[in-house]
Amino acid sequence: MSGGVPGRSSRARRILRGPRPEAVPTLVARACALVGAVDIAAGVFPRFRHSRMHAIAEVLPGSFGPFAAALSLSVGVLLLLLAHGLRRRKRRAWRAAVALLPAGAVAEFVYRHSLIGMLISVALLFPLLRHRDEFTALPDPRSRWRALANFVLMSAGSLALGMVIVSVHPNRMVGDPSVADRLTHVIYGLFGFEGPVDYAGNTSWTVAFSLGALGWLTAVTTVYLAFRPEHPAARLTEEDEEKLRALLARHGRRDSLGHFALRRDKAVVFSPSGKAAVTYRVVSGVMLASGDPIGDVEAWPGAIERFMDEAKAHSWTPAVMGCSETGGEVWTRETGLDALELGDEAVVDVADFSLAGRAMRNVRQMVKRIERAGYETRVRRIRDLGEAELERVRLAAEDWRGTDTERGFSMALGRIGDAADGDCLIATAHKADEQPGEYGDLKAILHFVPWGEDGVSLDLMRRDRAADPGMNELLIVAALQAAPKFGVTRVSLNFAMFRSALARGEKIGAGPVLRAWRGLLVFLSRWFQIESLYKFNAKFQPRWEPRFVVYRTSADLPRIGFAAMQAEGFVDLALPLPRFLRRRRAAGGRPCAHAVAERDVRAA
């Protein structure tokens, strides 16, 4: 590790400052889920709630059976929903559970007349009250989309559970209703109406109240999520952006991903001295940072400590995607987290680049062929483009994206042509056609962000699908050849995930495990461009710089991977804006709040 990174004086100062899995919240969450399942079973299955007292109570006037069954079912569903929040030590989930457990105990006793069921609920209430100080986590960022997601999921769950409720009384069902009749009865019951299925005795009331309770839960939880005070995801303020730009001006040469910290859908925490910062985004409960901390290495520990404190306050899972070897060492030493090699970044030293030689034969021939076809290239700073041309570039980049989902997070800026990004480089390919297209003679775009004063890092690659193949190779070569006149000595290209496994797995003597791992990566490349990115990068004979993912425990890796795929745009759990709206927003220079920049062949 390079010098100048401060150490810790004792093991005690190296402990994780963020949230480790807590034994008490985890056990309480599991017990809460168990009690919820018991309450649901008590409200649904007749045999589960059978007892002599219940048989007598059902025929008594004014029986509370149907009401208590609905209450038991409602409490069970809500406790299941709260279990995840309790495991994450959320204060609001604790408050709700403390209020629901007595209701569940009452329902167990009134409906099932079960002292054991009642005592189970009371027994869970005791550790909740005793360990109330464990449940202090603040709410997560949220938006109105969660109301829609809740409505869809609760409706599907209510339909499924409703079919069970309707079907578990075969001995009291009148006739033999079809599946369609039962489904119709469930749908009617969720809205509080009688359906086509009929039962003997009080069972019809029990089924009706239970279905009504499910419909009520779906409506109430959806309305609550839709109208509760919004707690929006943090955004980079103008003041934060100014501070980050000042840090990048002094220390931006250290990390090729530094400029991507200026994405405006990220939040930031600064060290106490203000000399370092960590930018992040919260996705599905994962506090996801990318790259190394920004600023003076001496101040990195202070920024990392603030990051971990924020994760602990909200009970978020801390993670870092794509940090360098130095960054990984600092993160693991300061927090106790672990690091795993994620892949390699391709970096080309401009002074060493040449199209001559056998290794560059394919690239050389492709570039010559495209140039003979009449294409020409231009490499300029963004500030040197006129407003009309810049607008055309923005619209073309949006139209040529190739997917409806915006992609990019750790290695994407999310905008083109912002007034504050005048130092960015743009390489464009042009060809004069007899019938100019919608964007004139523009055929392809490469956008680079600054990497200190003498480097650039590839942001996005877009091309007209009707253009000849090889546009990306043409523009990368043009950018490398034009780099000296801009004072650029280093160019960071794409990031290749698991590059070392792909490279070693295809060599002679590779073992069966390595070959199997490579085979899996090749298979996954059909969707995630793992192998294609590696081979594309290798064309330019780069040096490979390893990048790492930093995580708390191995059990967190699947969750972190899913959150990273959401952040990068490979998994989209929210409904996208219509394309015409996204295009209109893109023309304004600043990205849509729901959009993340995407590159056709650059993945993280």
Side-chain angles (χ1 to χ4, degrees), residues 204-287:
S204 60
W205 286 99
T206 302
V207 171
F209 277 108
S210 298
L211 293 177
L214 288 175
W216 176 81
L217 279 179
T218 301
V220 169
T221 54
T222 301
V223 170
Y224 168 73
L225 292 173
F227 291 99
R228 66 179 176 172
E230 192 166 5
H231 199 262
R235 291 288 184 267
L236 207 63
T237 66
E238 292 185 5
E239 181 181 359
D240 291 337
E241 187 172 335
E242 290 179 3
K243 293 180 180 179
L244 287 174
R245 288 186 182 276
L247 293 177
L248 288 170
R250 294 193 294 270
H251 307 282
R253 193 180 190 279
R254 179 175 293 279
D255 186 15
S256 62
L257 307 188
H259 200 85
F260 299 123
L262 299 175
R263 286 182 60 96
R264 288 165 182 155
D265 60 354
K266 290 183 176 181
V268 61
V269 289
F270 290 92
S271 65
S273 65
K275 295 181 179 180
V278 175
T279 59
Y280 66 92
R281 182 178 169 191
V282 178
V283 184
S284 296
V286 177
M287 190 176 183

Side-chain angles (χ1 to χ4, degrees), residues 302-375:
I304 291 173
E305 182 176 355
R306 288 281 180 87
F307 176 89
M308 300 305 291
D309 288 343
E310 189 76 6
K312 184 176 182 179
H314 292 269
S315 192
W316 292 329
T317 299
V320 185
M321 297 294 295
C323 65
S324 68
E325 187 171 2
T326 298
E329 290 183 4
V330 176
W331 273 100
T332 56
R333 191 190 64 215
E334 295 297 322
T335 64
L337 300 177
D338 291 323
L340 179 68
E341 186 173 341
L342 186 62
D344 294 271
E345 177 187 12
V347 179
V348 178
D349 293 311
V350 174
D352 298 333
F353 177 76
S354 173
L355 286 176
R358 184 176 182 83
M360 298 297 295
R361 179 182 178 183
N362 290 337
V363 176
R364 182 173 64 249
Q365 290 178 344
M366 180 174 289
V367 170
K368 294 297 183 184
R369 177 180 59 79
I370 296 174
E371 288 177 342
R372 286 195 298 269
Y375 289 89

Side-chain angles (χ1 to χ4, degrees), residues 58-82:
E58 274 195 325
V59 299
L60 294 177
S63 170
F64 288 95
F67 298 96
L71 177 60
S72 180
L73 181 64
S74 301
V75 170
V77 172
L78 290 174
L79 287 176
L80 283 178
L81 295 176
L82 291 172

Side-chain angles (χ1 to χ4, degrees), residues 152-217:
V152 173
L153 295 176
M154 286 290 292
S155 297
S158 297
L159 286 174
L161 191 55
M163 287 294 289
V164 175
I165 293 172
V166 169
S167 303
V168 294
H169 306 274
N171 296 331
R172 299 195 177 189
M173 191 177 291
V174 177
D176 186 19
S178 64
V179 174
D181 288 337
R182 298 182 189 191
L183 181 60
T184 302
H185 192 86
V186 171
I187 295 174
Y188 275 55
L190 292 177
F191 287 93
F193 300 104
E194 281 292 327
V197 181
D198 198 10
Y199 301 88
N202 289 335
T203 302
S204 60
W205 286 99
T206 302
V207 171
F209 277 108
S210 298
L211 293 177
L214 288 175
W216 176 81
L217 279 179

Side-chain angles (χ1 to χ4, degrees), residues 6 15 30 39 47 65 83 105 159 178 186 190 194 197 252 291 326 337 405 428 469 472 482-483 526 556 561 592 597:
I15 62 172
R30 291 174 180 174
D39 286 340
R47 293 181 181 177
L159 286 174
S178 64
V186 171
L190 292 177
E194 281 292 327
V197 181
T326 298
L337 300 177
T405 303
T428 54
N472 293 330
R526 299 179 182 181
D556 289 334
C592 169

